[in-house]
């Protein structure tokens, strides 16, 4: 047997003890990690990711007075007619004098809304629409402040002939100026559109009759690619010049229409809700009436967005333009089609959309498109 020195023996014992200690520490570390380590978390620098799968894009856009150049009988559309037509017709000029303010009277008498002006307006509107999907526009386009179906057909033929908007839905409402809401889409219809008249109830009969002369809620019935039925409600609620109870009642009726849909029909709504930032702070229409019943575009997405409309006297941004999605269209919901919150944005990259102060640029022959910016989102087929 070989002779081992005392020093060598001590070193051998030290190494055995060290090895045993390392094994013990490794075992304890493994056990502790298995018991207490939290699940992997998303990288805060990356954040949540956009949904993937077949998608449908939706945009709501108030195009600001998109009229054709022909007088619609029974409507006061005289401000948006060629000047030569108005000046040669005393009846039309008399209608200008019936305008409520001197500003509108002057505008009616002097505006020359001819074919050249209409072409310029439509070209700029088309530029805004073509910001989406590589120049092809959204799959579903909700439009407010359009005069009639004829003007939408002109827009399609002159500016959007290649995008495939085979479906146009617009039904004439009771607005005295003749402005309506409409839908242009690449999707087919599963049934004919419906115009729902809001049953306004004022303090008296006169108030109720006056309130009734406004735009209804258009329901366009579209078919998604997998056969799912979709009802799209388009709104242009009474403006801020009207009493707040009109907007409140219109919102209540929209919620009622949604609740009456068959279980197999998805619901999306959008348009110009005309609820200002100041009104929302006082009345909480969006917070109390919309948020409990819908996914509201600027509440679930569009982070960092200021608004879609700007009111200069109060220096106030508002989300007049909103898209709404049924709660069932959440990622955790039962619907196959899901809202992608990261897709929600305000498209305003066209130079003509922005004035020198960085706000929506009203239309004139020299510049501008609309006093509103649109709201955009996508839904994705995930199940």
């Amino acid at each position: 047997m070989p002779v081992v020195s005392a020093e060598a023996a001590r070193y051998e014992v030290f190494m055995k003890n060290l090895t045993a200690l390392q094994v013990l520490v490794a075992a304890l570390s493994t056990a502790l990690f298995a018991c207490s380590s939290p699940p992997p978390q998303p990288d805060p620098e990356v954040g949540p990711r956009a949904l993937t799968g077949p998608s449908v894009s939706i945009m709501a856009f108030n195009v600001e007075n998109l009229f054709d150049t022909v007088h619609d009988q029974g409507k006061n559309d005289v401000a948006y007619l060629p000047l030569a037509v108005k000046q040669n017709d005393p009846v039309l000029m008399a209608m200008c004098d019936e305008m409520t303010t001197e500003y509108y009277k002057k505008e009616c008498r002097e505006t020359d809304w001819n074919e050249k002006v209409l072409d310029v307006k439509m070209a700029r509107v088309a530029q805004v629409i073509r910001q989406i999907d590589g120049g092809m526009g959204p799959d579903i386009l909700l439009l407010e402040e359009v005069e009639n179906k004829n003007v939408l057909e002109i827009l399609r033929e002159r500016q959007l002939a290649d995008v495939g908007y085979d479906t146009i839905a617009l039904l004439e409402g009771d607005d005295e100026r003749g402005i309506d809401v409409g839908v242009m889409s690449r999707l087919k219809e599963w049934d004919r559109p419906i115009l729902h008249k809001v049953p306004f109830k004022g303090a008296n009969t006169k108030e109720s009759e006056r309130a009734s002369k406004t735009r209804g809620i258009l329901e366009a019935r579209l078919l998604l690619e997998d056969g799912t039925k979709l009802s799209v409600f388009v709104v242009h609620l009474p403006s801020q010049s009207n009493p707040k109870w009109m907007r409140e009642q219109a919102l209540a009726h929209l919620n009622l229409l949604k609740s009456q849909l068959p279980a197999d029909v998805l619901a999306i709504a959008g348009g110009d809700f005309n609820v200002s930032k100041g009104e929302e702070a006082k009345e909480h229409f969006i917070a109390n009436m919309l948020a409990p019943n819908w996914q509201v575009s600027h509440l679930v997405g569009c982070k960092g967005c200021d608004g879609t409309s700007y009111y200069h006297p109060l220096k106030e941004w508002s989300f007049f333009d909103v898209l709404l999605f049924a709660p069932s269209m959440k990622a955790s919901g039962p619907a196959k089609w899901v809202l992608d919150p990261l897709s929600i944005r305000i498209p305003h990259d066209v130079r003509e959309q922005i004035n020198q102060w960085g706000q929506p640029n009203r239309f004139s022959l020299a510049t501008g498109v609309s006093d509103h910016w649109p709201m955009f989102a996508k839904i994705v087929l995930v199940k």
Side-chain angles (χ1 to χ4, degrees):
M1 177 179 296
V3 179
V4 180
S5 69
E7 183 178 352
R10 286 195 299 271
Y11 179 80
E12 184 175 354
V13 171
F14 171 79
M15 290 303 295
K16 287 181 179 179
N17 290 340
L18 178 61
T19 301
L21 180 62
Q22 287 173 329
V23 170
L24 178 61
V25 170
L28 288 172
S29 298
T30 302
L32 288 171
F33 182 84
C35 295
S36 62
S37 178
Q41 298 297 314
D43 185 342
E45 294 300 319
V46 175
R49 288 173 171 81
L51 299 175
T52 58
S55 65
V56 170
S57 53
I58 304 110
M59 187 167 80
F61 184 22
N62 182 322
V63 290
E64 188 193 7
N65 296 320
L66 185 58
F67 284 76
D68 63 19
T69 60
V70 180
H71 176 49
D72 283 2
Q73 293 298 321
K75 302 294 184 181
N76 195 342
D77 58 356
V78 186
Y80 292 90
L81 292 176
L83 194 57
V85 172
K86 289 184 279 192
Q87 290 177 338
N88 291 325
D89 191 330
V91 174
L92 295 178
M93 292 303 288
M95 292 176 70
C96 287
D97 293 333
E98 294 172 4
M99 297 290 181
T100 54
T101 67
E102 286 301 319
Y103 173 85
Y104 289 121
K105 289 177 183 179
K106 185 175 186 294
E107 178 189 53
C108 183
R109 293 191 198 103
E110 298 179 2
T111 298
D112 188 7
W113 192 259
N114 54 48
E115 287 295 319
K116 176 184 176 182
V117 174
L118 179 59
D119 280 343
V120 172
K121 171 78 173 183
M122 287 190 167
R124 294 180 191 164
V125 167
Q127 279 186 290
V128 176
I129 294 169
R130 287 183 181 275
Q131 290 180 84
I132 306 303
D133 291 349
M136 295 302 290
D139 297 307
I140 305 172
L141 178 61
L142 287 56
L143 296 170
E144 306 89 55
E145 276 196 34
V146 294
E147 183 183 19
N148 48 38
K149 192 172 184 179
N150 177 57
V151 81
L152 292 186
E153 290 173 343
I154 295 172
L155 175 64
R156 176 177 63 184
E157 292 165 9
R158 295 184 187 177
Q159 298 292 341
L160 301 170
D162 60 321
V163 303
Y165 285 155
D166 294 330
T167 296
I168 294 182
L170 187 148
L171 298 172
E172 293 285 340
D174 297 323
D175 183 84
E176 292 179 304
R177 292 178 59 223
I179 58 173
D180 294 299
V181 297
V183 170
M184 302 176 75
S185 180
R186 283 189 280 273
L187 304 183
K188 298 183 184 301
E189 296 174 288
W190 59 268
D191 204 351
R192 294 180 179 179
I194 301 172
L195 186 65
H196 301 277
K197 190 170 182 175
V198 180
F200 290 113
K201 295 189 182 300
N204 51 55
T205 302
K206 185 177 181 180
E207 270 195 359
S208 300
E209 288 179 351
R210 178 183 176 277
S212 69
K213 295 178 180 180
T214 188
R215 302 160 290 275
I217 299 173
L218 178 69
E219 179 185 354
R221 297 169 158 188
L222 303 176
L223 198 63
L224 294 167
E225 65 177 64
D226 67 333
T228 299
K229 294 178 179 178
L230 173 67
S231 279
V232 179
F233 297 99
V234 192
V235 306
H236 186 182
L237 300 194
S239 70
Q240 285 287 307
S241 64
N242 292 284
K244 63 186 180 183
W245 61 262
M246 291 180 65
R247 288 179 290 284
E248 183 176 21
Q249 290 184 18
L251 290 173
H253 195 63
L254 173 63
N255 286 339
L256 176 64
L257 294 174
K258 171 180 167 291
S259 71
Q260 293 174 340
L261 288 177
D264 65 335
V265 179
L266 293 180
I268 293 175
D272 181 357
F273 286 77
N274 264 318
V275 177
S276 70
K277 181 179 180 180
E279 182 171 71
E280 177 62 15
K282 293 178 182 178
E283 306 299 333
H284 309 292
F285 288 151
I286 293 173
N288 293 341
M289 299 186 71
L290 293 183
N293 297 287
W294 303 86
Q295 299 181 79
V296 181
S297 53
H298 64 278
L299 298 184
V300 300
C302 210
K303 303 307 180 185
C305 298
D306 293 322
T308 62
S309 181
Y310 187 80
Y311 186 54
H312 292 273
L314 295 180
K315 302 187 185 306
E316 178 180 88
W317 281 98
S318 296
F319 284 97
F320 275 11
D321 308 271
V322 178
L323 289 171
L324 306 174
F325 300 84
S328 63
M329 299 176 73
K330 293 180 180 178
S332 59
K336 294 184 292 183
W337 288 90
V338 172
L339 168 65
D340 180 3
L342 290 184
S343 70
I344 301 171
R345 61 187 178 91
I346 298 172
H348 59 285
D349 294 330
V350 171
R351 179 179 59 83
E352 299 285 353
Q353 284 183 272
I354 307 172
N355 64 20
Q356 59 185 316
W357 301 284
Q359 300 145 6
N361 198 13
R362 296 191 67 126
F363 175 77
S364 71
L365 190 56
T367 185
V369 184
S370 170
D371 54 353
H372 289 246
W373 286 339
M375 182 64 78
F376 173 84
K378 283 187 177 183
I379 57 174
V380 180
L381 181 62
V382 297
K383 298 178 183 179

